[in-house]
């Protein structure tokens, strides 16, 4: 390989390579180039950093909080089976549907204002979600509020990494670590604290309303910073490789789809699966939280290992099998070892998500191609990946248990290992 062909990720610092998703900028094709956030000195920069981290801390509670009290919601609100399936599937589907809209809105209004609007929609969705409508019960608000949350999170998912990269180029490792840790922590908090809030208040509506409070706080904190940013319209100038015609891009995307199927199924269904096995709600929530903490550990170390080699076939295969196997063992394995099974799933899932994102960098030669591959992976990965939560729900409704879902994720884990092996070869988009 000549110096002109050298992949751009090898020229970055070790910290940047450990956090590859942060180097992907949704505004990379903008003309004129998106300017850094206007701030008032170093205190302003610290304030912006705190706001971005707090936004990340609200991006997964909507998934894990709902599943933590799903039996109580189903019983009290009288939800039909189809509604449970839709409520666990729609927010993930919308992550893919709304992802392409984020750069378009950012060019028109600016990334900061779009993030502010997304946090407003997220807060409104969280407030609406548990509301009971006269004559209609809880279902209409649950559906509308959940959809609003999914759309808002999709916009934040796409825009936050680019803002972090743009405004903290010399602190990318630190900010990337804090931001990605906050997102994982949000899922752990939702899983671990929702059921205790339900126990303390005696009603699931209070447990869900609770998560609107931190979202509203972040909205108020971010408001003065976002509204004073100048409004500059941008145009998109596209160039470079067409990733949709690349076999390598499709292999990487298929890997992302399969990991998304397992990842969001854990958020949506792991707590109900554990409770179905006779574990009380508080302990089930704690186990999911610990599993997500292990995801955080996996996401920290797996990219470092993956980027040490030009070929990632071995690590991709191992972490995919760990994830699928841990999910299945949580359903089939002896309950005496249930902490081991959920821990295996957590460590595997965190590593799997991280190495799937790492493929964006190690399979591309320049930042523009990486950004376009990231867009492809997010749109297809989240959109098609939501089928995982859908299938688990459908299988549970059809069979009355989760055994079929265990078999499903043995298959999904095996397929993820296959496509991970293919995507891990030393080739480029």
């Amino acid at each position: 390989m000549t110096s002109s062909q050298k992949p751009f990720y090898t020229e970055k610092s070790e910290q940047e390579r450990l956090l590859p998703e942060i180097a992907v900028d949704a505004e990379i094709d903008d003309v004129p180039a998106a300017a850094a956030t206007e701030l008032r000195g170093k205190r302003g920069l610290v304030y912006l950093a705190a706001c971005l981290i707090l936004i990340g801390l609200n991006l997964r509670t909507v998934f894990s909080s709902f599943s933590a009290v799903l039996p109580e919601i189903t019983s009290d609100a009288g939800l039909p089976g189809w509604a449970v399936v839709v409520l666990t599937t729609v927010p993930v589907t919308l992550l893919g549907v709304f992802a392409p809209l984020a750069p378009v809105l950012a060019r028109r209004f600016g990334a900061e204002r779009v993030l502010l609007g997304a946090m407003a929609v997220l807060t409104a969705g969280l407030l609406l979600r548990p509301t009971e409508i006269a004559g209609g019960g809880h279902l209409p608000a649950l559906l509308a509020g959940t959809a609003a949350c999914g759309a808002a999170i999709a916009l934040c998912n796409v825009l936050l990494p680019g803002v972090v990269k743009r405004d903290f180029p010399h602190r990318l490792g630190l900010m990337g670590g804090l931001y990605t840790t906050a997102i994982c922590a949000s899922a752990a908090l939702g899983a671990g604290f929702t059921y205790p809030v339900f126990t303390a208040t005696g009603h699931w509506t209070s447990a869900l309303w609770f998560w609107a409070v931190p979202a509203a706080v972040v909205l108020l904190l971010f408001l003065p910073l976002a509204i004073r940013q100048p409004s500059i319209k941008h145009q998109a100038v596209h160039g470079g490789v067409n990733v949709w015609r690349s076999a390598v891009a499709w292999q990487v995307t298929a890997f992302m789809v399969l990991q998304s199927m397992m990842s969001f199924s854990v958020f949506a269904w792991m707590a109900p699966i554990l409770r179905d096995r006779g574990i009380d709600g508080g302990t089930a929530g704690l186990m999911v939280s610990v599993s997500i903490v292990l995801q955080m550990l996996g996401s920290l170390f797996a990219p470092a290992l993956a980027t040490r080699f030009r070929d990632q076939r071995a690590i991709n295969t191992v972490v995919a099998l760990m994830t699928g196997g841990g999910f299945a063992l949580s359903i089939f394995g002896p309950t005496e070892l249930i902490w081991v099974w959920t821990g295996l799933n957590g460590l595997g899932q965190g590593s799997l998500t991280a190495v799937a994102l790492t493929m964006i960098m190690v399979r591309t030669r320049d930042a523009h191609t990486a950004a376009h591959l990231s867009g492809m992976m997010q749109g297809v990965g989240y959109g098609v990946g939501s089928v995982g939560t859908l299938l688990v729900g459908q299988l549970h409704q059809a069979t009355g248990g989760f055994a079929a879902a265990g078999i499903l994720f043995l298959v999904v884990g095996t397929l993820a290992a296959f496509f991970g092996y293919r995507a891990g070869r030393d080739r480029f988009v």
Side-chain angles (χ1 to χ4, degrees):
M1 181 182 296
T2 66
S3 59
S4 62
Q5 295 174 311
K6 191 175 183 180
F8 76 98
Y9 70 87
T10 60
E11 299 173 355
K12 295 187 176 293
S13 68
E14 181 68 15
Q15 285 182 318
E16 287 177 285
R17 288 190 282 117
L18 295 182
L19 296 156
E21 66 272 28
I22 294 301
V24 177
D25 188 352
E27 299 175 291
I28 198 165
D29 290 321
D30 287 5
V31 176
T37 306
E38 288 193 3
L39 303 168
R40 296 172 180 172
K42 291 185 178 180
R43 289 185 179 180
L45 193 64
V46 172
Y47 187 82
L48 173 63
C51 287
L52 297 179
I53 292 166
L54 290 173
I55 289 174
L57 203 56
N58 284 272
L59 296 187
R60 295 295 181 266
T61 55
V62 65
F63 302 103
S64 54
S65 62
F66 182 78
S67 66
V69 289
L70 181 57
E72 287 74 20
I73 297 173
T74 304
S75 174
D76 183 69
L79 298 182
W82 67 265
V84 175
V85 175
V86 169
L87 288 167
T88 54
T89 303
V90 163
V92 186
T93 304
L94 291 180
L95 296 185
V97 171
F98 279 85
L101 185 60
V104 178
L105 291 174
R107 291 182 199 112
R108 175 64 179 82
F109 301 104
E112 294 85 0
R113 285 191 174 90
V114 177
L115 286 173
L116 179 68
M119 288 306 300
V121 173
L122 178 60
T123 303
L126 290 169
L127 287 171
L128 176 62
R129 194 167 55 149
T131 303
E132 185 174 9
I133 298 175
H138 285 284
L139 183 56
L142 276 169
L143 291 170
T146 300
C149 291
I153 293 168
L155 299 179
C156 293
N157 275 351
V158 175
L159 294 179
L160 267 177
V163 175
V164 170
K165 180 193 174 188
R166 185 188 68 196
D167 291 331
F168 300 91
H170 303 299
R171 294 289 184 271
L172 193 56
L174 174 62
M175 273 302 297
L178 292 173
Y179 153 71
T180 53
T181 300
I183 292 179
C184 288
S186 70
L189 291 171
F193 284 94
T194 303
Y195 194 84
V197 174
F198 163 73
T199 303
T201 61
H203 209 281
W204 63 268
T205 54
S206 299
L208 293 190
W209 266 320
F210 174 82
W211 297 107
V213 175
V217 169
V218 177
L219 173 64
L220 294 175
L221 289 173
F222 195 54
L223 176 64
L225 189 152
I227 61 175
R228 70 167 180 257
Q229 299 305 312
S231 180
I232 302 174
K233 292 185 180 180
H234 301 266
Q235 293 181 336
V237 178
H238 299 289
V241 67
N242 184 346
V243 295
W244 297 89
R245 296 181 178 179
S246 168
V248 175
W250 279 108
Q251 291 162 7
V252 172
T253 299
F255 188 40
M256 181 70 171
V257 165
L258 293 160
Q259 80 82 19
S260 295
M261 289 179 69
M262 292 189 282
S263 176
F264 285 99
S265 293
V266 169
F267 292 152
W269 291 107
M270 184 60 82
I273 286 170
L274 296 175
R275 296 184 69 176
D276 186 67
R277 300 209 66 187
I279 297 168
D280 67 271
T283 303
L286 177 62
M287 294 176 74
V288 175
S289 291
V290 172
S291 175
I292 295 170
V293 170
L294 290 174
Q295 285 191 30
M296 294 163 64
L297 291 177
S299 68
L300 286 174
F301 293 108
L305 182 60
T307 54
R308 289 179 66 88
F309 305 99
R310 297 165 62 89
D311 185 304
Q312 292 78 34
R313 286 179 291 184
I315 187 172
N316 288 358
T317 302
V318 169
V319 297
L321 294 176
M322 282 176 61
T323 306
F327 201 108
L329 286 167
S330 297
I331 297 172
F332 298 125
T335 54
E336 293 82 5
L337 296 175
I338 196 68
W339 283 94
V340 176
W341 312 140
T342 56
L344 177 67
N345 174 263
L347 190 60
Q349 185 64 67
S351 302
L352 179 61
T353 302
V355 296
L357 290 168
T358 302
M359 293 300 103
I360 297 172
M361 291 302 167
V362 298
R363 296 282 81 86
T364 55
R365 288 191 171 97
D366 60 78
H368 279 81
T369 305
H372 289 203
L373 178 58
S374 176
M376 176 181 177
M377 287 175 64
Q378 288 194 66
V380 179
Y382 290 138
V384 181
S386 64
V387 172
T389 59
L390 173 65
L391 289 175
V392 174
Q394 293 281 29
L395 290 171
H396 181 258
Q397 292 297 321
T399 64
F402 289 103
I407 296 172
L408 168 68
F409 282 98
L410 284 174
V411 175
V412 171
T414 302
L415 288 173
F418 171 76
F419 282 103
Y421 184 90
R422 300 281 293 178
R425 294 176 298 170
D426 184 22
R427 298 184 179 182
F428 296 96
V429 174

